[in-house]
Structure formats: structure tokens, C-alpha cells
Amino acid sequence: MQENNFKLNPKSLKTAVTRVEKDKIVTRGYNQRDLIEKIRFSDMVFLILKGRVPSLKESKIFNYVLVSFCDHGVTPPSTQTARLITSSGSPINSAIAGALLSFGNKHAGAIEKAMELYQSKIDSIHLINDRGIDNKQIASLAIEIYNEYVVKGKKIPGFGHRYHDVDPRADKLMEIAVDNGYLGPHIKLALALQDLVYSKKHIKLNVDGANAAILSDLGFDPELGTGVFMIGRLPGLIAHSYEERMDEDEFRRFCDLDDVEYMG
Amino acid sequence: MQENNFKLNPKSLKTAVTRVEKDKIVTRGYNQRDLIEKIRFSDMVFLILKGRVPSLKESKIFNYVLVSFCDHGVTPPSTQTARLITSSGSPINSAIAGALLSFGNKHAGAIEKAMELYQSKIDSIHLINDRGIDNKQIASLAIEIYNEYVVKGKKIPGFGHRYHDVDPRADKLMEIAVDNGYLGPHIKLALALQDLVYSKKHIKLNVDGANAAILSDLGFDPELGTGVFMIGRLPGLIAHSYEERMDEDEFRRFCDLDDVEYMG
Amino acid sequence: MQENNFKLNPKSLKTAVTRVEKDKIVTRGYNQRDLIEKIRFSDMVFLILKGRVPSLKESKIFNYVLVSFCDHGVTPPSTQTARLITSSGSPINSAIAGALLSFGNKHAGAIEKAMELYQSKIDSIHLINDRGIDNKQIASLAIEIYNEYVVKGKKIPGFGHRYHDVDPRADKLMEIAVDNGYLGPHIKLALALQDLVYSKKHIKLNVDGANAAILSDLGFDPELGTGVFMIGRLPGLIAHSYEERMDEDEFRRFCDLDDVEYMG
Amino acid sequence: MQENNFKLNPKSLKTAVTRVEKDKIVTRGYNQRDLIEKIRFSDMVFLILKGRVPSLKESKIFNYVLVSFCDHGVTPPSTQTARLITSSGSPINSAIAGALLSFGNKHAGAIEKAMELYQSKIDSIHLINDRGIDNKQIASLAIEIYNEYVVKGKKIPGFGHRYHDVDPRADKLMEIAVDNGYLGPHIKLALALQDLVYSKKHIKLNVDGANAAILSDLGFDPELGTGVFMIGRLPGLIAHSYEERMDEDEFRRFCDLDDVEYMG
């Protein structure tokens, strides 16, 4: 069955990401030989996702975003999944694949929902008026969101954290944005919303909410939010899987029989 | 990019599992219209894996195997993985995929290793001598395995259980085999090995070891061992994922911060 | 780090699926020793998912459902994913996990959507009137669905097939239901809807639509639809992964460079 | 079942990766507030995997490695898996998880095997002699490997490419190493081996082989090889999944029925 090659019809696969020729690989228009020598990895991420090299300012901001996602210890379900699977003796790519599968609606979903929320609100103004958005408009959008969510008892995506009152990553990201004047319309909206929600409910932006605003100002489509999060978090997941493999040589026993309550 | 069909070259895909024509589906030579009406699901599993319908005796035995794999409560890493991923809000197929990834060397791997062990030993005799294997030969193979594993401090695949002294599934399967005379050479070898190991070490066959012998007598390739296990276990994993989804409406908090010891 | 056991707090895990004690395993109230000896595998699936043993009639019908899902050759993305991953040299559980991940909205999602549709329509009548549903009511529900979907240009879940005009599995399942009088309200609704859609659009029920009706009459929650589908399809996926592994010994080359069109 | 928290026993989870306290997150000894502001993402990856910040030279080299893994178009099975799963309508994390599962023995496995090979050879000399390794020793190790693999008809891990005669990434990486004098013992060994294999067989290092040598000189454990590869490749996989989702709005038909040859 050697000829069973799953070969594809000529020209049946189209892509704008990378052109591969014999002995030559060109990604987003750049020869990989040049990219290897000259581009920072974080800029490479921006380039491959957005199709263009970031400006110096974009490069700095995008680097903050990626670093801020790096790890949250053993507490998230994704990290625990990576460790559980590793402990069963499966290879590291299986452990990491399982971890990614734990980025469900309730775990990593908030970033895309927050990006959609901010972008739909900002876009609603752009549609009416293409001059710059003023602070009064931002304030009224924040009130609009507050009324649509908090007043109706719905959780605002990107706010609150199970372990922190002040998520230090969100706090730092917003501090950097303010100090450096990185205040595009989506960040302004996130900050205005935070002021409102904090004054009434004592809840602040979390790392997803802060990055949703930043990535929106950088022009990222909400559909790429989880992707950027995965890129940032992958190194942490690998560190945990590796730690589990190295420090643990037996098949763990995850519970004792009397840890379990039978309800049948 | 509508024509981007990943289409395959004519005749580039070959398969002996199922022929699909317009309005007709034929699996392992049987029209699916007939299979739907006439075959038991457990026989369908046998048919699609082995390429032929089982005999009545094989059908009964294979059904025991599948049922015996159904569930072991919340204790295995695979079940805990299914529940962790479900709890994050991911869809059920993601939760089950993650669970399958937990069938690593230390979890589900034993069945294939035990099949390889029994089959290589039995085959070593067939090579020399194609008459029936007598009990003396079986006994000496059991001693051979005992010396290669227990004497050298290596764990024999398919023996011992983290929670049970007598794995009730293995015990029942072997009881049925003995009572009904289902005593092919691999089951005989497993039983002889169990006698030896139990007399010296007080350790018995587990569900993997018992089924490894049965599946070997049924003519299954070791490479299909984990596959049969997955088929048997899938319903249990789905029941757990469903239970988790139904009974749990919030994003779980899997640990408190002081549950974790930082070693850095 | 031997004590690092991920152990769970006493009584922190609750389940009604299986109680595990030392040397004893009880699933849905039945000792597994008894289940192994006495229950058919298809009934075991019903028991573990629904919490009770099926009636004789339910047992027969549920077996048809499971068999009907067994395989559709190499055409579905899930099967191709299983083969791609196998071909890379990954273990079979990874290949099958990847295949399950291909059961997205457009592939296996139809069964749950069709179950929700049929059940919400039938429930809407039960709410008003708890006598038996008469054929007039069924006919008007079918028209309601037709108007909500076809008239508005939306695809009805569970109708039409990419390769078949008449999906032979759906056709056979409905034939069995009619011949044996298995005509609960959801099957009646599916049949009435099919009459209407076929007369106007020449499109018939597919295997997902037929099984959605049958599973609804059997009392299955839509959230279990994909689960039942996965159980039925798993043996086929394993057969394909095994075939790929056995018949192919080199790392396949999946396309030639000139098969790809670069659009950048 | 609100108390069903899968909570872990006090101190049952140990980790040296990240300490999480209320409102404070410390990774590998550094406050994440500081890391977000000051560290490059590629250095963050090094830090979390190795437990220390890289030197300036290490930082530059590690960045080359990460960028060199970014993408190889639609040709690898992992990329095709990501696109297949995306095309079924599954979420992006499922598509990427499936792609990672395609990093099997034949796809991404070479990097770890090459790292083990180089490190075991270099370690064998260190054991005897802890002075610097001289070029004569390197040359004799290269011959040793050549004899163990090529002479015996075995493929050397990290050599040869299905599409390229000269893998431009490996070529560029080795050029940079030579030009800048980044010539640790593992890179020296890889270069000596390449000279030998190329002179006899006209086969050169591929991206896995080149990076295996570089990562070995950077002090990475072979068990982390696939992890580093996954980190480098993830952005490319996400770009492909996103492209597939954006440019394709229907459920693809992956083959025509007459593309398939039935062998039954």
C-alpha cells in the first residue's frame, strides 16, 4: 500500500502563511533564513498571526501580553490536566494536548468574549462617527455594558478572579498602558468599565480582560484571542509536565477509596 | 477559496474497512442495512476489528471482555481528566479525547504488554512444535516469565491492582473461562502464571492481564489491545463527563492556595 | 516527592456511576461480577448512561442505533484525522483522541441539534396538553419546523448527506421503526418532517436525524447525543487507525510542493 | 453537589514553577509584575523551562531556535490535522490539540532522539576525561555514530528532509553558529557528523538535527526537545487554523467517492 499517499490534487491546498519550495521557505513574504537571524520570537508570533511585522511600539506591547500569560501555578484545570496525563506515562505532546482541551468556555473563553464585547461597542461608534472617540462616548459605552451585564446579574467577561482581588497581571498591564500612553479606544473602555465596576462591586479586570483590551487595540480579531493565550501559556504547561515527569516515578494514586462519596 | 477542497488524488486512499457508494455502505463485506437489522453491537465491534463475524462462542467471550472494561469509578486518571476538562466548559468530545490521552504506559499500556508477553511465549513453542501445547510446556513458560520478571524485580504486566487484592473483574473472567472450558493456550498460561505468582508473592491477575489472555486466545493482535479497552471504557467516561456537566454549574476551584507547596 | 499524590479531600468527589470498594465494584447498583456474566455490551452502555437496564424493546432499538453509527469509510474528517495522526507514528489513543476532536459543529453536532429540536417541539405540546399527541399535532409541528428552517433558508439539522441522496442507514432505521411500530412522538415528528421536506426539496433524513428521533423516544437527553455517536463510531475509528499502522511503514508525504497554491 | 470541589489535600501538590499567593504571582523566583515589564518572551520561555534567566549569548541563540521552528506550510501532518479539525467546526483549542497529537515518532520525535544521541556520545567522553574535548575526539565520535547508523542501514535522527536537499533552516542555524563561534561540543559533533554523512551519502542536517545540537549545548534535557519544538511551532499552527476558519465557510468534502480504492 505504498502508493497510498493521501496526496492532494494539484492546487487543492491554498495558503497565505508559508510558501515552501525546494530548499527555500518563505513565511508571510520573508525568507526564513532572514527571519531566523533577525526577528525576535515575539515579533515572529505577531508576523505569522497578523501578516506583518509589528511597529516598535506594537512589538513592546505584544511582548507584555505574551509574558503575562506565562503561568498561574498548579491551580488551573489545564495545568492539572497536563500533570494528570503526564503521570499516566503518556508522552508530553499528549499531556499538552489534553491541557489545551481544558481551555473551555469557563477557563480561557473569557478573553474572546471580552474582545467581542469591547470591539462591538467601539465599532458601534465608529459606524456612526469616524472622528476620534472622545471620553464622554467611552464613559457612556461603559455604562451601557454595566447595565447590560451587572444590572442584569450577568458576569462581565474579563472581570474578577477566583484567587485574587487584584489580579497582579492585569494591574501591571494597565499601569504600563497608562504610564506609556498606550491608550487606544479599547483600553480606554476597559479602564472606564473597571472604574465603574470597582466603585460599585469592588471587582477589577483580570488578565483576560486586560489583554482583551490590549489585543483589540493591536487590531487582533477576537477569534485569535485564545490562540494568543495558548502561545503565552504553552511554556508554563510544558514546565509543569516536565516537573511532573522528573519528580514522580510511580503511577500516582489520585485518591483513596474513602475520598469518594457514592451517591447512587 | 471555495475550491480548496483538500481533495485526494484518484485512488490515493485505500481501505478494506468500508466501501461507500452513493446510497450504499458496505462494511467488511456486509451491507450496513443488513448489519443494522441483524448484528449485535458487540459482534459488530468484532467484525470491524477482525474482518469476520465471530462464532457463537467467540461472541459470548468477546462480550464479557467489553463489559468488564466498563468503569472503575472516579479513581483512574482518565476519568479524572474527563471530569476536569468537562468542568472547564469544554464540549464532551474534548473531555473524552483528553481522557483517552491519559491511557499512557502506566494506565492502559499493560494490556498490550501482557498480550505481547503471552503471545511471544506461546509463539515460541509453536515455532518448534505444531502439535497442541501440553500443560508441562505451559508450566515451564510460566516459570520462564516468573524468572524474567519477578526474580529480576520487574513488574509483570497485567498483575496487581492499586485498589484491589483480588481484582473482581479478572477473578470473574477467569472463573467463567474455567467453568466453560474456554482454555486456549494464552488463558492457560495466564492461569499458570497466576498460580505461581500468587503462591510466592500473593499478587493476582488484574483486568488487563485477564483480558490480555482472553483477547490473545481470540486471535487479537497486541496492537489492538488498547483499542478494545477504549471501546469498553468509553461508555463509562461519557457517563462521568455527563454527570460532571449536569451536577456542577460553576467553574470549580480545584485547590486552595494553601493546598500547594512551593518548592522553589 | 513521593507524597505528592494529588490526593483529594475526603468526600470531595461524588459520583452515582460506580462505587469502588476493596475487591468489589458496583456500577449503577449492579455488581460488576454479575454484569460481566449476564449483560450484553449494548445494554451495559444503556445502563451506564441512563442508570437503568433497558426493556427488551429498548434493548433492540438501542442496538440498531449503535450499529448504525459504526463507520463511513475514509470520507469523514474524523477518520482522516485518525489516519493522519497514526501515520505520524503517534500511539493509537492519540490518533483516536484527535479523531474525536473532529466531531465539531459541522460533523457530529447535528445529532444534538436535531434532538433539541424534536424534544423542544414535542415538549411544547406536552406543556399544553398531557393527553397523547395526535397526528394532527405532529403534522402542524412539522410545518412549524419547515417554516422556521427551510422557508428561512436554514439547514434543518439531521437532513441531507454529502454523499447520499438516500442515507441507507436512516432509511433502514425508519423502515424498522415503521415495520415494528416503534413510533413514539419524536420518530413520528421526524417522519412527518421528512415527508414534507422530501416533497418540496427532495432531501431526506440522514443517520443523525433518524437516530436523534430514536434516542429522543428512548428518553435520551440531547447532551448525550454526541456521546452515543462516539460509542458507536469508536470501533470504526480504531479499525482505520489499525489499518493505517499495519499497511504503511514509512512517514507518508501528504502532498507534493506543487499541490499547494501560495496566495500571499 | 456544590461542595464537590476535587479539592486537594493540604500540601499534596508541590511545584517549583510558580508560587501563587493572593494578589501576587512569583515564577521561578521572579514577581510576574516585574517579568511582564522587563523580560523578552523568548527569555521567559528559557526561564520557565530552565529555572534561570539566560545569558545574553544564550538569549540570542535560543531566539534563533524558536524562530526556526515557526512553520513549514501545509505539508506536515500536524498542520493538516489542525486544518481538518478546524474545518469540522471544532474550536481552535481542539484543532491545535489534535495537531500536537501528530507529533509522533516519525514527525517531531527526531529532535529528542538526536539530543539523546549527541548527549550520550559527548557524555561518554566527559566521563573519561573532564578536560575540553578536542577535535580528534569529536571526529571519532562522528565516525562511531556513522558506523552505528549509516553502515547498519539505520536512519540517523535529525538528518534528511522529505522536501529539501538542504534544509534552509538547519543551514542558516549552523552558519550562524560557525560565524559567531557558538561551537559547543554538541554543535561540533553535529557538524562533524554532517561532513561525514554528506561526503558519503549527500544528506545534511535538518532543522531537528541542528536544533538538537544547539539545545544540547544550551544544556537542555532531551525530554524538553519536543516541548521547545511545540512552543516554536504553535504560532504557525494557530495561523493555519485561523486561515482555515476564515477562508472556508462550508463543511469541506475531503474526497470524492471514486478517490477511494476499496481493497476488501
Side-chain angles (χ1 to χ4, degrees), chain C residues 10-227:
Chain C
K11 305 303 176 215
S12 63
L13 276 170
K14 296 175 183 180
T15 181
V17 181
T18 294
R19 183 174 77 238
V20 179
E21 302 170 15
K22 192 161 153 323
D23 299 349
K24 187 173 178 186
I25 312 171
V26 177
T27 294
R28 298 297 191 190
Y30 296 87
N31 193 315
Q32 283 199 10
R33 293 184 69 101
D34 298 326
L35 291 172
I36 289 170
E37 190 160 15
K38 292 178 187 156
I39 201 168
R40 286 191 190 189
F41 180 55
S42 53
D43 293 347
M44 182 74 227
V45 177
F46 190 103
L47 170 62
I48 206 163
L49 295 182
K50 298 281 297 170
R52 64 174 179 81
V53 171
S55 71
L56 268 176
K57 185 177 149 188
E58 288 170 330
S59 167
K60 285 181 74 167
I61 299 173
F62 191 58
N63 193 80
Y64 301 138
V65 171
L66 291 173
V67 172
S68 73
F69 282 132
C70 66
D71 195 48
H72 199 270
V74 297
T75 66
S78 50
T79 310
Q80 298 205 11
T81 301
R83 297 185 82 118
L84 264 168
I85 297 178
T86 301
S87 161
S88 77
S90 289
I92 193 169
N93 61 324
S94 294
I96 302 304
L100 300 188
L101 297 177
S102 301
F103 294 149
N105 273 335
K106 296 178 199 160
H107 183 354
I111 189 167
E112 296 204 354
K113 282 183 207 137
M115 288 173 81
E116 279 159 23
L117 177 62
Y118 298 151
Q119 292 184 26
S120 68
K121 289 298 173 191
I122 296 297
D123 289 354
S124 72
I125 287 184
H126 277 231
L127 289 173
I128 301 166
N129 178 342
D130 57 70
R131 286 169 308 156
I133 295 170
D134 63 32
N135 290 343
K136 227 167 100 186
Q137 285 175 304
I138 293 287
S140 82
L141 289 179
I143 292 167
E144 217 175 284
I145 296 173
Y146 187 84
N147 288 335
E148 286 165 17
Y149 285 81
V150 184
V151 171
K152 294 185 180 163
K154 287 168 60 185
K155 206 182 161 324
I156 310 178
F159 273 78
H161 196 278
R162 284 169 303 140
Y163 293 98
H164 306 294
D165 288 339
V166 179
D167 182 332
R169 300 161 296 179
D171 194 58
K172 184 66 185 185
L173 287 165
M174 291 297 100
E175 181 188 306
I176 293 172
V178 170
D179 288 356
N180 292 278
Y182 302 147
L183 294 166
H186 305 90
I187 293 179
K188 279 187 182 171
L189 175 56
L191 288 169
L193 185 60
Q194 178 171 254
D195 283 349
L196 194 60
V197 175
Y198 190 71
S199 70
K200 309 241 183 189
K201 295 279 171 182
H202 241 74
I203 300 172
K204 299 195 107 182
L205 285 164
N206 60 32
V207 69
D208 292 326
N211 280 319
I214 296 171
L215 288 170
S216 295
D217 275 352
L218 288 173
F220 277 83
D221 185 340
E223 300 249 10
L224 279 169
T226 303

Side-chain angles (χ1 to χ4, degrees), chain A residues 15 17, chain D residues 71 73-74 79 83 236-244:
Chain A
T15 182
V17 181
Chain D
D71 195 48
V74 296
T79 310
R83 297 186 82 118
L237 291 170
I238 288 167
H240 283 282
S241 174
Y242 181 70
E243 185 179 67
E244 179 78 19

Side-chain angles (χ1 to χ4, degrees), chain D:
Chain D
M1 216 179 267
Q2 278 191 329
E3 318 82 71
N4 186 3
N5 279 319
F6 275 143
K7 273 198 198 160
L8 306 156
N9 273 341
K11 306 303 175 214
S12 62
L13 276 170
K14 297 176 184 179
T15 183
V17 181
T18 294
R19 183 174 77 237
V20 180
E21 301 170 16
K22 194 162 153 320
D23 298 347
K24 188 174 178 185
I25 312 170
V26 177
T27 294
R28 298 297 191 191
Y30 296 86
N31 193 316
Q32 283 199 9
R33 293 184 69 100
D34 298 326
L35 291 171
I36 289 170
E37 190 160 15
K38 292 177 189 156
I39 201 168
R40 284 191 191 189
F41 181 54
S42 53
D43 293 346
M44 182 73 227
V45 176
F46 190 103
L47 169 62
I48 206 163
L49 295 182
K50 297 282 296 168
R52 64 174 179 83
V53 171
S55 72
L56 267 177
K57 184 178 149 188
E58 288 170 329
S59 167
K60 284 181 75 168
I61 299 173
F62 191 58
N63 192 80
Y64 301 139
V65 171
L66 291 173
V67 172
S68 74
F69 281 132
C70 66
D71 195 48
H72 199 271
V74 296
T75 66
S78 50
T79 310
Q80 297 204 12
T81 300
R83 297 186 82 118
L84 264 168
I85 296 179
T86 302
S87 163
S88 76
S90 288
I92 193 168
N93 61 325
S94 295
I96 302 305
L100 300 189
L101 297 176
S102 301
F103 294 148
N105 273 336
K106 297 179 199 160
H107 183 355
I111 189 167
E112 297 203 353
K113 283 183 207 136
M115 288 172 80
E116 280 159 22
L117 178 62
Y118 299 150
Q119 293 185 26
S120 68
K121 290 297 174 193
I122 296 297
D123 288 355
S124 71
I125 288 185
H126 278 229
L127 289 173
I128 300 165
N129 178 346
D130 56 71
R131 288 168 307 156
I133 296 169
D134 63 32
N135 290 343
K136 225 167 99 185
Q137 286 175 303
I138 293 286
S140 83
L141 289 179
I143 292 167
E144 214 175 287
I145 296 173
Y146 187 84
N147 288 335
E148 286 165 15
Y149 285 81
V150 183
V151 171
K152 295 187 180 164
K154 286 168 62 185
K155 206 183 161 323
I156 310 179
F159 273 77
H161 197 278
R162 285 169 302 139
Y163 294 98
H164 306 294
D165 289 338
V166 179
D167 182 333
R169 300 160 297 179
D171 194 59
K172 183 67 186 183
L173 288 164
M174 290 297 100
E175 181 189 307
I176 293 172
V178 170
D179 288 355
N180 293 277
Y182 302 147
L183 294 167
H186 304 90
I187 293 179
K188 279 187 182 171
L189 175 56
L191 288 169
L193 185 59
Q194 178 172 254
D195 282 349
L196 194 59
V197 176
Y198 189 72
S199 70
K200 309 241 183 188
K201 295 278 171 183
H202 240 72
I203 299 172
K204 301 196 104 180
L205 284 165
N206 59 32
V207 69
D208 292 327
N211 280 319
I214 297 170
L215 288 170
S216 295
D217 274 353
L218 287 173
F220 277 83
D221 184 340
E223 300 249 11
L224 279 169
T226 303
V228 174
F229 172 71
M230 289 193 284
I231 294 167
R233 179 57 56 89
L234 198 68
L237 291 170
I238 288 167
H240 283 282
S241 174
Y242 181 70
E243 185 179 67
E244 179 78 19
R245 186 178 311 271
M246 291 299 110
D247 293 345
E248 188 68 36
D249 47 14
E250 274 183 280
F251 187 18
R252 283 170 184 254
R253 185 162 161 164
F254 291 96
C255 54
D256 289 325
L257 293 183
D258 54 11
D259 293 338
V260 184
E261 186 172 352
Y262 183 66
M263 316 285 288

Side-chain angles (χ1 to χ4, degrees), chain B residues 21-255:
Chain B
E21 302 170 15
K22 192 163 155 320
D23 299 348
K24 187 174 177 185
I25 312 170
V26 177
T27 294
R28 299 295 191 191
Y30 296 87
N31 192 316
Q32 283 199 8
R33 293 185 69 101
D34 298 327
L35 291 171
I36 290 170
E37 189 160 15
K38 292 178 187 154
I39 201 168
R40 285 191 191 189
F41 181 54
S42 53
D43 293 347
M44 183 73 226
V45 177
F46 190 103
L47 169 62
I48 206 163
L49 296 182
K50 296 282 296 169
R52 64 174 178 83
V53 171
S55 71
L56 267 176
K57 185 178 149 187
E58 288 170 330
S59 167
K60 283 181 75 168
I61 299 172
F62 191 58
N63 193 81
Y64 301 138
V65 171
L66 291 174
V67 172
S68 74
F69 282 132
C70 66
D71 195 49
H72 199 271
V74 297
T75 66
S78 49
T79 310
Q80 297 203 11
T81 301
R83 297 187 81 119
L84 264 168
I85 297 178
T86 302
S87 162
S88 78
S90 287
I92 193 167
N93 61 325
S94 294
I96 302 304
L100 300 188
L101 297 176
S102 302
F103 294 149
N105 273 337
K106 296 179 199 160
H107 183 356
I111 189 166
E112 297 204 353
K113 284 184 206 135
M115 288 173 80
E116 279 159 23
L117 177 62
Y118 299 150
Q119 293 184 27
S120 68
K121 290 297 173 193
I122 297 297
D123 288 355
S124 72
I125 287 185
H126 277 230
L127 288 173
I128 300 165
N129 178 345
D130 57 72
R131 286 169 306 155
I133 296 169
D134 62 33
N135 289 343
K136 226 167 100 184
Q137 286 174 303
I138 293 286
S140 82
L141 289 179
I143 292 166
E144 215 176 287
I145 296 173
Y146 187 85
N147 289 335
E148 287 165 17
Y149 285 82
V150 183
V151 170
K152 295 186 179 163
K154 285 168 62 185
K155 205 183 161 324
I156 309 178
F159 272 77
H161 196 278
R162 284 170 302 139
Y163 294 99
H164 306 294
D165 288 338
V166 179
D167 182 331
R169 300 161 296 180
D171 193 60
K172 183 68 186 184
L173 288 164
M174 289 297 100
E175 180 189 306
I176 293 173
V178 170
D179 287 356
N180 292 276
Y182 301 148
L183 295 167
H186 305 90
I187 293 179
K188 278 187 183 170
L189 175 56
L191 287 169
L193 185 60
Q194 178 171 254
D195 282 349
L196 195 60
V197 176
Y198 190 73
S199 70
K200 309 240 184 190
K201 295 279 171 183
H202 239 73
I203 299 172
K204 300 196 105 181
L205 285 165
N206 60 32
V207 70
D208 292 327
N211 280 319
I214 297 171
L215 289 170
S216 295
D217 274 352
L218 288 173
F220 277 83
D221 185 340
E223 300 248 10
L224 278 170
T226 303
V228 174
F229 172 71
M230 289 194 284
I231 294 168
R233 179 57 56 89
L234 198 68
L237 291 170
I238 289 167
H240 283 282
S241 174
Y242 181 69
E243 186 180 68
E244 179 79 20
R245 185 177 311 272
M246 290 300 110
D247 293 345
E248 189 68 37
D249 48 13
E250 275 184 280
F251 188 18
R252 284 170 183 256
R253 184 162 163 164
F254 291 96
C255 55

